[in-house]
Amino acid sequence: MNKKKIVEIGIICILFLVMAGYAEQSEYCLNEENQIIRGSPGSSAVQVELELDAEGILEKYNYELTIPASGITAEGAKEYFAQAKKEIDSTFFEEGEKADYVTKPVHMHTSYAKGMVKAEWNLDSYEYVDIDGTIISEDLAKEGQIVQATAELKCAEEKESYVFSFHIYPPELSEEEQLLKDIDAAIETESAKKGKDLLTLPEQVDGVRLRWSEKKEHLVWKVLFFEIVVLVLLCFVAAERKRTEQKLRKEQMLLDYSEVVSKLLILLGAGMSLKQAWSRISAQYLDKRQKREIAKRYIFEEMVVTNYEICDGESERRAYQKFADRVELPVYQRLIRILIQNLQTGSRGMCQLLNRESETALEERKAIAKKLGEEAGTKMLLPLMIMLGIVIAIIMVPAIMSFNV
């Protein structure tokens, strides 16, 4: 484990300790004068666990105490009632409407002043205003109707009534709304007729000719759109898979470079020609693949292809150059230049060149392995942060809840 990981783990551990200490400190509710802060009016009771010592009789006794919230005085209740009345005045009617002209639903809430005041509503006439505040306009005359509302307010043990009146009128309908309303009435009248198997839709209402047709679902266009979306997503998925595979192929080839150079160095140093060494490495790989001793390695697959090309009559120089073009990695192109130089000038000095290249490849492999390890560590940061958030929630939520109650 490198120093960076050790520092990250140490920082996380310190954060846990700090949060645990803060949570434990925030849970203290008993001061030096044996006083406990009670909850605000309207809040629920608080459960407190204390240790009791009673001079030789009790020692560190676990004493559980239920502390009710502080009560509400008559003066405090009056203040809450005043807040509730102001809130009723501001929320009872829709925005833009006043008590002398109401056409939209009214709002009768069951609590006000942040829940400190409970309200029970009573209307002198539910014939024109429904229990949910909706205005019933069917039997409502144009001159409207005055409705009296009574809100029975209760705060702790204190009670108070709030009475006011408002004038409701039929809602003003636009030309379209009026036409639709008359069409509904015409269809309802036709539906009420008995003894008919067919319902005849009106052809004219309020002097307006009507033309009826079935609504099309446009299923073909919806299916076509869905297919296009699926095809686009499949293209994105295929492109992403291709990019992922290319990245994996590149990383695997870079990691295998030192092994390829080492095998060539050993076989060439043993007196084999380049063609023989290449064929030997390819044959060993194919044999292990057939026995399922190793997984697929991209660079050796390319070497097998090159070996087949040479066996089919392709010149070695041309086959190795095509190998470098397929691999498209600078390190392998450098290796192929060394091998092609061997074909042109002979094997003198080849082992020395490959030996230096092997040392360079080993250093590059270490750097690549270190980079991949750092990337894996970075990917682990997200799960660690999620775990940290869960731990913070476990520690902080009880402390915050104890403050609220």
Side-chain angles (χ1 to χ4, degrees):
M1 186 179 296
N2 56 29
K3 294 182 179 179
K4 184 178 179 181
K5 295 297 179 185
I6 296 175
V7 171
E8 290 176 355
I9 294 174
I11 292 173
I12 293 175
C13 293
I14 293 173
L15 287 175
F16 285 164
L17 291 174
V18 171
M19 288 185 295
Y22 174 78
E24 185 177 9
Q25 183 69 28
S26 64
E27 291 179 356
Y28 293 158
C29 55
L30 183 65
N31 61 19
E32 297 178 354
E33 298 180 0
N34 289 337
Q35 294 176 335
I36 299 177
I37 300 175
R38 302 177 65 180
S40 59
S43 61
S44 59
V46 179
Q47 297 288 337
V48 180
E49 293 185 359
L50 305 173
E51 285 189 358
L52 175 62
D53 290 331
E55 294 185 357
I57 301 176
L58 296 174
E59 183 177 355
K60 292 186 178 181
Y61 177 78
N62 293 329
Y63 192 93
E64 294 185 359
L65 180 62
T66 301
I67 303 175
S70 59
I72 301 176
T73 63
E75 293 181 357
K78 289 182 179 180
E79 293 180 1
Y80 285 123
F81 286 144
Q83 293 179 19
K85 291 176 183 179
K86 290 181 180 179
E87 192 172 342
I88 291 173
D89 293 339
S90 62
T91 61
F92 189 79
F93 305 108
E94 287 281 353
E95 185 177 357
E97 293 200 331
K98 296 182 180 180
D100 56 354
Y101 195 91
V102 180
T103 60
K104 298 179 181 179
V106 296
H107 304 286
M108 297 177 286
H109 301 308
T110 57
S111 64
Y112 296 94
K114 297 182 179 180
M116 298 303 299
V117 177
K118 307 299 180 182
E120 293 184 2
W121 289 92
N122 183 32
L123 303 178
D124 64 347
S125 176
Y126 287 99
E127 182 181 357
Y128 302 106
V129 181
D130 201 351
I131 191 171
D132 61 354
T134 305
I135 296 177
I136 304 172
S137 59
E138 282 76 7
D139 299 330
L140 189 59
K142 292 183 179 181
E143 61 272 13
Q145 178 71 31
I146 297 177
V147 179
Q148 179 177 291
T150 303
E152 298 293 343
L153 306 179
K154 182 178 180 182
C155 180
E157 303 299 327
E158 303 294 327
K159 295 181 180 180
E160 188 172 323
S161 296
Y162 184 44
V163 182
F164 60 95
S165 300
F166 57 97
H167 200 155
I168 61 173
Y169 290 89
E172 298 178 358
L173 301 178
S174 64
E175 185 178 0
E176 294 180 358
E177 293 173 339
Q178 186 63 47
L179 178 60
L180 291 174
K181 182 178 180 181
D182 294 340
I183 291 174
D184 292 340
I187 294 176
E188 186 177 355
T189 301
E190 184 68 21
S191 302
K193 295 181 180 179
K194 299 179 180 180
K196 288 188 176 182
D197 296 333
L198 299 176
L199 174 64
T200 303
L201 299 177
E203 297 181 356
Q204 185 174 349
V205 173
D206 296 342
V208 180
R209 294 183 59 83
L210 306 178
R211 184 173 56 189
W212 301 88
S213 62
E214 290 190 46
K215 184 179 179 180
K216 296 181 180 180
E217 297 293 334
H218 303 291
L219 184 60
V220 174
W221 291 106
K222 293 179 181 178
V223 172
L224 179 61
F225 175 76
F226 175 75
E227 291 176 349
I228 292 174
V229 172
V230 171
L231 288 175
V232 171
L233 291 177
L234 288 176
C235 290
F236 278 116
V237 171
E240 183 63 27
R241 286 181 178 176
K242 185 177 179 180
R243 283 194 294 269
T244 304
E245 184 177 355
Q246 289 176 347
K247 181 181 178 182
L248 176 63
R249 179 175 180 269
K250 178 181 177 181
E251 291 176 351
Q252 189 188 92
M253 285 183 172
L254 290 174
L255 288 173
D256 290 340
Y257 179 64
S258 61
E259 182 180 354
V260 172
V261 175
S262 298
K263 287 184 177 181
L264 286 173
L265 176 61
I266 293 172
L267 295 177
L268 291 175
M272 287 188 179
S273 65
L274 178 58
K275 180 179 178 181
Q276 292 173 336
W278 197 280
S279 177
R280 180 68 177 272
I281 295 173
S282 302
Q284 288 178 347
Y285 170 73
L286 285 177
D287 182 60
K288 291 182 179 180
R289 282 285 289 158
Q290 291 175 355
K291 295 179 180 179
R292 297 183 178 180
E293 295 179 359
I294 59 174
K296 179 180 178 180
R297 310 300 294 182
Y298 291 99
I299 192 60
F300 292 106
E301 293 286 340
E302 296 294 342
M303 292 185 69
V304 170
V305 172
T306 301
N307 186 55
Y308 285 152
E309 291 176 346
I310 295 174
C311 293
D312 290 339
E314 186 81 59
S315 66
E316 286 189 63
R317 178 185 177 89
R318 178 60 181 166
Y320 297 146
Q321 189 62 51
K322 290 170 66 176
F323 169 84
D325 294 339
R326 290 195 303 271
V327 174
E328 297 181 342
L329 291 176
V331 290
Y332 285 99
Q333 293 175 352
R334 186 171 68 233
L335 174 64
I336 293 302
R337 286 196 296 268
I338 296 174
L339 298 181
I340 292 176
Q341 181 182 354
N342 174 50
L343 295 176
Q344 294 174 344
T345 62
S347 59
R348 180 181 300 176
M350 176 60 60
C351 291
Q352 289 81 356
L353 291 175
L354 288 179
N355 189 30
R356 288 198 296 267
E357 188 65 23
S358 177
E359 294 176 356
T360 304
L362 184 59
E363 294 298 325
E364 291 178 350
R365 179 185 174 90
K366 292 179 180 179
I368 294 171
K370 182 179 180 181
K371 179 181 177 182
L372 294 177
E374 292 176 352
E375 291 179 355
T378 303
K379 292 178 181 179
M380 288 297 295
L381 285 178
L382 180 59
L384 287 175
M385 294 304 295
I386 294 176
M387 293 175 63
L388 177 61
I390 294 174
V391 173
I392 291 174
I394 293 174
I395 295 176
M396 298 300 294
V397 167
I400 295 173
M401 292 180 64
S402 65
F403 287 150
N404 292 335
V405 297

